[in-house]
Amino acid sequence: MVEVHKVSGATFDSNVYLVLDEHPILVDAGMMAGPTLKNISRYIDPKEIKIIALTHCHHDHTGGAPELKKATGAKVLLSEKEGGCVGDELTTVSYLFGMEAPEYKVDGYLKSGMILDLGEWLLDVLETPGHSLGSVCFYEANAKVLFSGDTVFPDGNIGRTDMYGGNPESLISSIERLTQLDVRTMYPGHMEITSKEVNRQIQMSLRFARSVL
Ligand SMILES: [Zn+2]
C-alpha cells in the first residue's frame, strides 16, 4: 500500500510530497530543506529517497533542492524544457522571493511518455505547460492520483500565467488534457489535498481558465 505524506514545513514553501512506495520519492522540494527533512525523518531515513521529481523550476518548489539532494543522495529530475533554468533568477522567479536562484545538478529530464516506476505505482509524466514553460504533472492511472504542481489547484483554481514562461493558451490546453483523466485524489503544489469530486473540480478549473485567460 503506497502512502503519500505532505512533508513541507516552512510557511511559503510549495507542498512537498513524500511518496512511500518500494522506491520512495519526493515530489517537489519546497524552499526550506530543514523542516522538510525533519518531517521526512518521521517516516523514513531521508537517505532512502531515490528521486526528487520537480513539477517545475520555480523557487518555491526548488529552493530546497540543493540541500535535499545533498542530504538524501537522490537524483533530481526536472522537465527538459527547464533544464536551462537552474541558477537563473528570472525563470525560477527567485527574485520574487528576494533570494538567489538555487544551484543543483539535474540528473535526468522529464518529458511526456516517461514513466517513473516506484514499485507499485507507475507515475506517468504529463507535460502541462502554461504556468511555466516546462511544468509537468504526475499521474498514477490505477490509483487515480494526480500530482498537479501549479497547473490546477482545488476548487477550480488555476496556476498564474503572468510570470516568465507563462502562457494562457498553453495553460488552457494543459487543463483540457487533465480533464481527460480520471482523478480520485489530487495532490496540488499549493493548497490542500483533495479527494472530493476531483474530476468536477478540474472541470471548474477549465471553465475558470477559459473565462479569465
Ligand atoms: Zn510555480
Side-chain angles (χ1 to χ4, degrees), residues 71-93:
T72 61
K75 288 188 161 60
V76 175
L77 307 182
L78 177 69
S79 161
E80 63 175 1
K81 299 211 168 59
E82 295 189 342
C85 301
V86 176
D88 180 66
E89 64 169 354
L90 181 61
T91 47
T92 59
V93 301

Side-chain angles (χ1 to χ4, degrees), residues 158 168 171-173 175-177 179-180 203-213:
I158 59 173
L171 188 72
I172 292 170
S173 309
I175 300 174
E176 277 168 356
R177 178 145 186 237
T179 62
Q180 289 157 18
Q203 285 286 353
M204 277 169 62
S205 293
L206 180 59
R207 280 174 58 203
F208 182 56
R210 281 177 176 155
S211 79
V212 297
L213 297 178

Side-chain angles (χ1 to χ4, degrees), residues 16-34:
V16 180
Y17 297 109
L18 171 65
V19 185
L20 290 178
D21 199 336
E22 197 180 313
H23 310 292
I25 72 161
L26 289 181
V27 175
D28 279 328
M31 285 193 285
M32 304 282 282

